[in-house]
Amino acid sequence: MFTGIITDIANVRAIEKTGDTRFEFTTAFDTSKIVLGASIACNGACMTVIETGDNWFAIEASAESLDRTTLGDLSTGSKVNLEQATRVGDELGGHIVSGHVDGVAEVIGVADEGDSTRVTLRAPDDLARFIAPK
């Protein structure tokens, strides 16, 4: 589970298409404390760490993950929002989210409102009925 609070903005270090697609991300996280098999949300999608190195980690994304998230749009040098999974005892500073992404919405409007920005999204038809208005 995740809180939805981004804790690092990584850069895509490498992308390799084998069977699935391998991504390597540079990060400010202490990668010596990331265990293989750990979950890290990458642009909101829960992904499994398969390798770590000095200030970087790798994941593999299936075709389904690429189709249902923004990961398939990444290229070397792209910025990626990261969040490590919540541990028992961590502060829940955001809200609990699963990190499992079912689709990608289309941005249909952006408007400044005071010091904020309202972004209007159109969800895919097959998912829209499951989304509450607030």
Side-chain angles (χ1 to χ4, degrees):
M1 300 302 283
F2 301 90
T3 63
I5 304 297
I6 297 162
T7 53
D8 189 27
I9 299 176
N11 286 303
V12 176
R13 167 182 143 136
I15 300 173
E16 181 183 0
K17 175 80 171 149
T18 52
D20 288 332
T21 301
R22 176 189 169 94
F23 292 90
E24 292 181 3
F25 303 109
T26 58
T27 181
F29 293 157
D30 182 352
T31 54
S32 70
K33 295 183 180 178
I34 298 174
V35 298
L36 297 185
S39 293
I40 296 181
C42 304
N43 279 355
C46 177
M47 303 305 293
T48 302
V49 175
I50 61 165
E51 186 178 354
T52 64
D54 190 25
N55 297 95
W56 66 272
F57 70 92
I59 58 124
E60 283 183 336
S62 67
E64 177 77 1
S65 292
L66 298 178
D67 288 345
R68 299 284 182 180
T69 69
T70 60
L71 296 175
D73 298 331
L74 298 176
S75 58
T76 302
S78 293
K79 302 260 187 236
V80 178
N81 294 325
L82 298 182
E83 180 191 355
Q84 290 181 287
T86 304
R87 294 175 182 85
V88 173
D90 283 354
E91 177 184 347
L92 298 177
H95 50 276
I96 297 175
V97 294
S98 71
H100 293 272
V101 177
D102 295 312
V104 177
E106 175 187 1
V107 176
I108 59 171
V110 177
D112 290 332
E113 292 185 2
D115 292 333
S116 300
T117 302
R118 179 182 298 268
V119 179
T120 305
L121 306 171
R122 177 181 297 125
D125 289 340
D126 61 330
L127 296 176
R129 65 188 173 111
F130 298 110
I131 299 173
K134 293 279 182 185

